[in-house]
Amino acid sequence: MTERYLLKLIIYLDNRVNIGIILVTLYSESEFYPMKKRPVDMLTGSPLKSVVRFALPIMASSMLQYNYSLVDNIIVGRYVSSDALAAVGSVGPIGSFIVGAALGLTSGFSIPVAHAYGEGDRKKLAHYAGGSISLAFIIGLILVVTSHILSGPLLRLIGTPEEIIGLASAYINILYYGIPFQMLSNNFTAISRSVGESKKPLYFFCVSVAVNFVLDLLFVKELQWGVEGAAVATLISHVVACTLNGVYVLRFNRQVSISRQDLRIDRRTAWRQIKLGIPVSLQFTVTSVGSMCLQSVVNSFGTSVIAGFTAAGRVEQLTNIPMSGLGVANQTFVGQNYGARNYERILSSVKKIFMLDVCISVAMSLLLFTIWEPVVSLFLTEENPEIMAAASRYILAIAQCYSLVAVLFVMRNTLQGLGFTYANSVAGMGEFFGRLSIAFILTPALGFDAVCYAGPAAWLLADIPLIIIYLHKAGKFRKLLSEKRKSVNS
């Protein structure tokens, strides 16, 4: 591979990703939009302004997290082979199944932290935060062992082609060692965000992504370690992110004062956090099972279609970031205000963020049409019409239905912020049946075109129950507000 490819890759990433992150950070520091050293105040002022201000660093952090897999895919596709790219892509659903389930637990762990912050109870906040750290580490160690046991059978279960199964296994088995660090890093980040701090994690992810990028080039291009090199680079970057986030939360975050006593696991507290985390984890797990079923169908179309499907999926993940970031930010807003019993602010925020996210989804649909071809071409060392055709068909289907995923992000994160995490499991089942019906009913008749619409079908079946549950909860909030006004007037 020539230096020309390396130069093209660096220039493209700088122009399309890193510059965007820098602009967000500069904007947040400008006089027009001052970012104070204290956390974002979500309990007073404009709900929309608070959520958007809080969401910007989250979006940038998500962009950086996205770079882990993006850089791995690009460098592996260019400096190893298209089979290696297909191998790395084929393990995505399995990684989501195990790692997603782990990170889902930590998302649930942090909900009481936001509620305690809204209540103004710092002692309870430290208690829940400390307990979540210990839980995340212990569960992470258990999952390392479990994931290595399940790895081989799962790769065969989804029909991974024989020519790439060795590469896929080598890649994912190294990544599994990073699960405890990912869980801790995600948990530290969630704690920071629960108290209104979304900016510091962005800085730490900047460092970890830079480490990942440099080590990817060193291990894969220079040392020629193949997919194993890409996996080791990602593993080290997870350790770096975990360390930086952990030091900040435990030593320098003034909103969280965690003592050694807080790090001890209290059975009652742990059980409450686990009960909140399990539905979120199940949502990731069930959704991933549906994705694995779909991946097994994609695998039957051959390595070129797998590579095209993988590359197009990375483009979709990129345009998901603004919508997802707003949803996550609104989760923290809702959690804090639920703890403070500011129900009117919750209703106002959800309505405005819902409308904003749908508008953004329309813009992202147009962006998908614009950027998919140059981004997908980054994964290839030479033109491959079959890969580009598969990617094009997938992107077209997703772009037509993108508003459905915007609704999903807002509703799911809102209910999660309220502590109604059972809604995540309900939504996960909807996504599961959506993908399953496409994979085993429509694909035999319609071929790869049916696979392309599996995502939109999953989003629709998740949206319906989430909207119903939220409207029911919103009705209760309005009733409480009405009773409060009557008591004040009387």
Side-chain angles (χ1 to χ4, degrees):
M1 302 301 170
T2 65
E3 294 299 318
R4 180 170 59 87
Y5 288 131
L6 176 58
L7 180 61
K8 180 181 177 184
L9 172 62
I10 295 173
I11 291 174
Y12 189 90
L13 287 175
D14 281 343
N15 288 340
R16 295 295 189 269
V17 178
N18 296 330
I19 285 180
I21 294 170
I22 292 170
L23 288 176
V24 168
T25 305
L26 289 176
Y27 176 67
S28 68
E29 294 287 358
S30 68
E31 292 182 1
F32 173 73
Y33 182 63
M35 286 289 284
K36 300 177 182 179
K37 291 183 179 181
R38 59 185 175 84
V40 176
D41 181 7
M42 297 193 177
L43 301 175
T44 60
S46 167
L48 182 61
K49 182 178 179 181
S50 296
V51 174
V52 172
R53 176 183 170 186
F54 190 70
L56 289 174
I58 293 176
M59 293 178 193
S61 296
S62 297
M63 183 75 75
L64 291 166
Q65 287 180 300
Y66 164 83
N67 274 351
Y68 283 131
S69 58
L70 177 69
V71 170
D72 280 357
N73 284 198
I74 291 175
I75 292 178
V76 165
R78 284 189 168 275
Y79 296 120
V80 185
S81 66
S82 59
D83 278 356
L85 172 60
V88 171
S90 69
V91 303
I94 297 176
S96 297
F97 173 67
I98 296 175
V99 178
L103 300 186
L105 280 172
T106 60
S107 297
F109 293 168
S110 64
I111 293 171
V113 179
H115 291 177
Y117 184 81
E119 294 172 12
D121 190 334
R122 298 305 173 86
K123 184 177 180 181
K124 184 189 294 185
L125 188 157
H127 179 64
Y128 279 117
S132 70
I133 293 169
S134 299
L135 272 178
F137 181 68
I138 292 170
I139 294 173
L141 293 178
I142 294 171
L143 286 175
V144 170
V145 177
T146 306
S147 58
H148 278 94
I149 295 172
L150 295 176
S151 180
L154 286 175
L155 284 170
R156 286 181 167 75
L157 182 64
I158 66 173
T160 307
E162 285 298 324
E163 61 266 31
I164 65 173
I165 195 169
L167 292 170
S169 180
Y171 178 76
I172 198 167
N173 278 315
I174 293 174
L175 288 184
Y176 284 148
Y177 289 110
I179 291 176
F181 301 104
Q182 284 181 274
M183 288 191 69
L184 282 172
S185 182
N186 190 68
N187 193 69
F188 287 132
T189 299
I191 291 171
S192 292
R193 290 174 179 171
S194 294
V195 299
E197 175 59 81
S198 61
K199 195 175 177 183
K200 294 297 189 302
L202 168 60
Y203 298 153
F204 305 145
F205 283 127
C206 283
V207 176
S208 65
V209 168
V211 169
N212 185 48
F213 181 73
V214 171
L215 293 182
D216 260 328
L217 291 175
L218 174 63
F219 295 159
V220 179
K221 181 178 181 292
E222 300 298 333
L223 301 180
Q224 298 183 356
W225 288 0
V227 294
E228 293 94 336
V232 171
T234 300
L235 173 60
I236 293 173
S237 66
H238 286 320
V239 175
V240 171
C242 173
T243 302
L244 294 175
N245 274 295
V247 169
Y248 172 69
V249 168
L250 294 172
R251 297 290 300 275
F252 299 107
N253 191 322
R254 296 179 181 179
Q255 305 298 319
V256 185
S257 300
I258 300 173
S259 65
R260 291 185 180 181
Q261 183 67 30
D262 293 319
L263 291 171
R264 295 180 181 178
I265 295 179
D266 175 76
R267 290 184 181 180
R268 182 176 298 178
T269 301
W271 178 235
R272 184 190 173 191
Q273 291 177 303
I274 289 172
K275 283 195 297 183
L276 288 169
I278 284 176
V280 184
S281 181
L282 282 176
Q283 175 244 313
F284 280 105
T285 301
V286 172
T287 301
S288 298
V289 170
S291 297
M292 284 192 289
C293 293
L294 190 67
Q295 185 68 51
S296 68
V297 174
V298 174
N299 290 345
S300 68
F301 290 99
T303 56
S304 291
V305 172
I306 296 173
F309 184 77
T310 299
R314 297 294 178 261
V315 182
E316 178 198 349
Q317 290 172 5
L318 177 64
T319 52
N320 263 341
I321 288 172
M323 296 177 285
S324 174
L326 279 174
V328 173
N330 198 52
Q331 175 183 326
T332 299
F333 180 94
V334 167
Q336 288 189 11
N337 282 278
Y338 184 69
R341 295 177 174 81
N342 293 330
Y343 303 128
E344 192 167 2
R345 287 177 62 78
I346 294 173
L347 295 172
S348 174
S349 170
V350 173
K351 180 180 178 180
K352 292 176 180 178
I353 295 301
F354 180 89
M355 296 171 63
L356 179 59
D357 231 12
V358 170
C359 291
I360 290 175
S361 71
V362 175
M364 291 300 102
S365 295
L366 298 175
L367 184 63
L368 271 175
F369 286 119
T370 304
I371 69 171
W372 79 266
E373 190 169 357
V375 174
V376 170
S377 66
L378 280 173
F379 295 85
L380 310 175
T381 55
E382 57 186 22
E383 291 187 9
N384 188 315
E386 191 175 356
I387 292 177
M388 297 301 289
S392 175
R393 289 156 70 185
Y394 180 80
I395 291 296
L396 177 63
I398 293 298
Q400 291 172 339
C401 310
Y402 228 16
S403 293
L404 293 173
V405 77
V407 176
L408 176 62
F409 285 135
V410 175
M411 293 291 101
R412 186 170 64 193
N413 282 285
T414 294
L415 291 169
Q416 189 169 315
L418 293 171
F420 305 133
T421 55
Y422 69 87
N424 292 70
S425 298
V426 175
M429 291 302 297
E431 291 191 69
F432 172 74
F433 285 116
R435 289 188 172 89
L436 203 66
S437 61
I438 293 291
F440 296 112
I441 298 176
L442 295 181
T443 300
L446 301 178
F448 184 67
D449 285 332
V451 171
C452 297
Y453 284 95
W459 302 334
L460 177 62
L461 292 182
D463 286 345
I464 293 172
L466 288 174
I467 291 172
I468 293 172
I469 295 171
Y470 173 72
L471 290 176
H472 176 66
K473 300 299 181 184
K476 288 188 174 182
F477 290 157
R478 292 190 182 94
K479 185 178 179 180
L480 289 171
L481 287 170
S482 178
E483 292 174 353
K484 183 178 180 180
R485 292 190 188 102
K486 288 179 181 179
S487 65
V488 170
N489 293 332
S490 61

